Amino acid sequence: MSTETLPPVRVWDWSVRLFHWSMPVLLALLWYYAGEDMDKHMLFAQLLLGLLLYRVIWGFVGTPYARFNHFLYHPRHVLAYVRASLRPQKPVYLSHNPLGGVMVLVLLGGLLLQGGTGLFATDDIFYTGPLYDYVTGDTAEQMTRWHKRWFYWGLLALVGLHVLAVLLYRLRGENLVGPMITGRKQAPADRVADHLRHEARFPWVRFVLTAGVAWGTVTALFQL
């Protein structure tokens, strides 16, 4: 693989970056207000689920590098990447690498599980999730237990693993934080053709439709 590089190119659109940095902020706020101010907890949960639904839809209709088909690979490609990463000159990807794509999928799934169980949860006093009345008491109790304990701690473990991976890549000479701030990434010369093929203006119409569907769906859900 060529080591020659070109000036940084645009990879992550602003909505992907906003989603990425909103997640730790919202998770911290949800944790802080849990059991203290459930009105705010529910508000931030609605925001979180709205952003998650937006990201899932955007993964199919959004900008090229934001789409799942651009960074989700067959398991054999993931294993090949893991083996290649052990070499001094590891492969470089403009979008998420195959292992990073798996982490994105796992994190989205974990966040959706955490938010989804909260829809059925209750504090046994004043507050219930919007879907609490649609399940049995035993089911709601189980969902509440998962929401408060299992998925919560599991999600923290996934976040910790994500941070550890970012640090390890930094030690290997690849900065993953900078591109998620600026939206631009250093392009290897042998990948510039791939970038130029995907270069396009931000699709504002698709963005408005996606954001509208995501927020409208979550708002309707919380009004049940």
Side-chain angles (χ1 to χ4, degrees):
M1 178 175 293
S2 172
T3 58
E4 181 186 356
T5 58
L6 300 171
V9 297
R10 185 181 297 108
V11 175
W12 305 119
D13 70 67
W14 65 269
S15 72
V16 170
R17 287 176 281 144
L18 179 62
F19 167 83
H20 182 275
W21 296 113
S22 294
M23 289 298 103
V25 174
L26 286 173
L27 287 174
L29 290 170
L30 283 163
W31 174 82
Y32 180 80
Y33 286 111
E36 297 293 332
D37 189 332
M38 290 304 294
D39 285 330
K40 289 182 179 178
H41 184 80
M42 296 290 281
L43 173 61
F44 291 128
Q46 188 171 350
L47 288 172
L48 179 72
L49 285 172
L51 285 171
L52 284 171
L53 184 55
Y54 167 82
R55 184 62 185 95
V56 170
I57 300 174
W58 201 240
F60 293 98
V61 303
T63 50
Y65 294 107
R67 297 188 184 188
F68 297 128
N69 63 7
H70 202 90
F71 58 80
L72 293 182
Y73 296 83
H74 191 279
R76 66 173 179 271
H77 293 144
V78 177
L79 292 175
Y81 173 78
V82 172
R83 289 194 295 267
S85 295
L86 299 177
R87 303 167 187 162
Q89 190 69 26
K90 67 179 182 62
V92 177
Y93 289 75
L94 278 178
S95 183
H96 294 297
N97 60 56
L99 201 57
V102 173
M103 178 56 72
V104 169
L105 203 61
V106 171
L107 282 171
L108 286 176
L111 288 166
L112 287 170
L113 282 172
Q114 180 68 8
T117 54
L119 297 175
F120 302 90
T122 177
D123 66 353
D124 294 320
I125 304 176
F126 299 112
Y127 290 92
T128 59
L131 299 183
Y132 174 81
D133 293 330
Y134 292 86
V135 296
T136 65
D138 289 341
T139 299
E141 182 181 353
Q142 184 66 49
M143 291 289 187
T144 302
R145 188 180 304 115
W146 287 348
H147 185 70
K148 290 182 176 179
R149 296 180 182 178
W150 310 119
F151 288 145
Y152 176 80
W153 291 108
L155 193 59
L156 284 180
L158 290 177
V159 171
L161 182 61
H162 175 63
V163 172
L164 177 61
V166 170
L167 292 175
L168 289 176
Y169 272 91
R170 190 68 184 90
L171 291 175
R172 293 289 306 275
E174 185 174 355
N175 181 6
L176 300 180
V177 176
M180 196 54 71
I181 295 175
T182 65
R184 296 181 175 275
K185 194 171 184 180
Q186 200 75 28
D190 57 356
R191 296 295 177 91
V192 69
D194 178 65
H195 170 72
L196 292 175
R197 185 170 67 253
H198 293 296
E199 183 74 78
R201 292 184 177 182
F202 186 79
W204 284 102
V205 174
R206 293 205 303 273
F207 165 75
V208 171
L209 290 174
T210 301
V213 169
W215 186 247
T217 300
V218 172
T219 299
L221 183 63
F222 273 74
Q223 292 177 347
L224 290 176

